[in-house]
Amino acid sequence: MTNDFNEISMYQCVYCGKIFRTDKKHQCKFKPEFRNCFSCQHCTGIVEVTQDDVVSDEYYPFAGEQDDPELHKITTKYTSCAKRNGHSIAELSKKRWNLNCDMWDIMPYYTGKETYVRKLVWKLT
């Protein structure tokens, strides 16, 4: 009987549980060393802000056929914080989750994504 498989190594992030082929590129947003909202005890959740945005005629392929400008709903997600204003999730992502907040305090018994979900999604203590 021949072996039709090769043995491979995989890596699992201890903070979020995702599995990767390499241990080099993953910047986990739940890593406490980044001192961001996902591991902070002052974070009270994620809020979505929806705004109407007018799309001007120059963005239409047939600009002459459009009588009124079209409204698009833009939704932006922000963290909410008990100590200060929250942060845009998009901006945190651009910083590769490294916020280094001076108001940051780690959640009690923090182990990663599981702790975040228990506290802020399920509202358990």
Side-chain angles (χ1 to χ4, degrees):
M1 178 174 219
T2 63
N3 189 355
D4 294 335
F5 297 94
N6 294 325
E7 184 177 333
I8 60 169
S9 295
M10 301 296 277
Y11 300 90
Q12 184 175 27
C13 176
V14 296
Y15 300 109
C16 68
K18 291 182 182 177
I19 296 176
F20 301 93
R21 292 184 190 197
T22 177
D23 62 345
K24 304 287 186 233
K25 296 181 181 179
H26 179 57
Q27 292 277 108
C28 188
K29 64 184 170 187
F30 295 103
K31 190 174 184 178
E33 286 84 5
F34 294 144
R35 298 172 58 98
N36 67 32
C37 307
F38 295 102
S39 59
C40 181
Q41 71 177 357
H42 306 300
C43 183
T44 57
I46 304 287
V47 292
E48 292 184 351
V49 177
T50 304
Q51 299 172 330
D52 288 331
D53 190 30
V54 177
V55 179
S56 62
D57 292 339
E58 64 192 55
Y59 294 106
Y60 291 106
F62 307 105
E65 297 178 13
Q66 186 70 27
D67 293 334
D68 296 324
E70 186 173 329
L71 288 178
H72 285 257
K73 297 235 182 255
I74 307 262
T75 301
T76 308
K77 293 182 181 181
Y78 295 91
T79 60
S80 58
C81 180
K83 293 267 186 176
R84 62 163 46 156
N85 291 337
H87 299 277
S88 163
I89 299 295
E91 290 300 316
L92 281 173
S93 176
K94 286 178 188 174
K95 292 181 179 181
R96 305 234 6 176
W97 308 111
N98 193 359
L99 181 60
N100 202 20
C101 179
D102 58 348
M103 302 292 276
W104 179 88
D105 290 315
I106 194 163
M107 283 183 199
Y109 311 109
Y110 186 75
T111 60
K113 181 179 179 179
E114 180 181 319
T115 310
Y116 172 84
V117 170
R118 288 180 58 79
K119 179 185 179 212
L120 298 171
V121 177
W122 296 342
K123 307 292 185 202
L124 301 173
T125 57

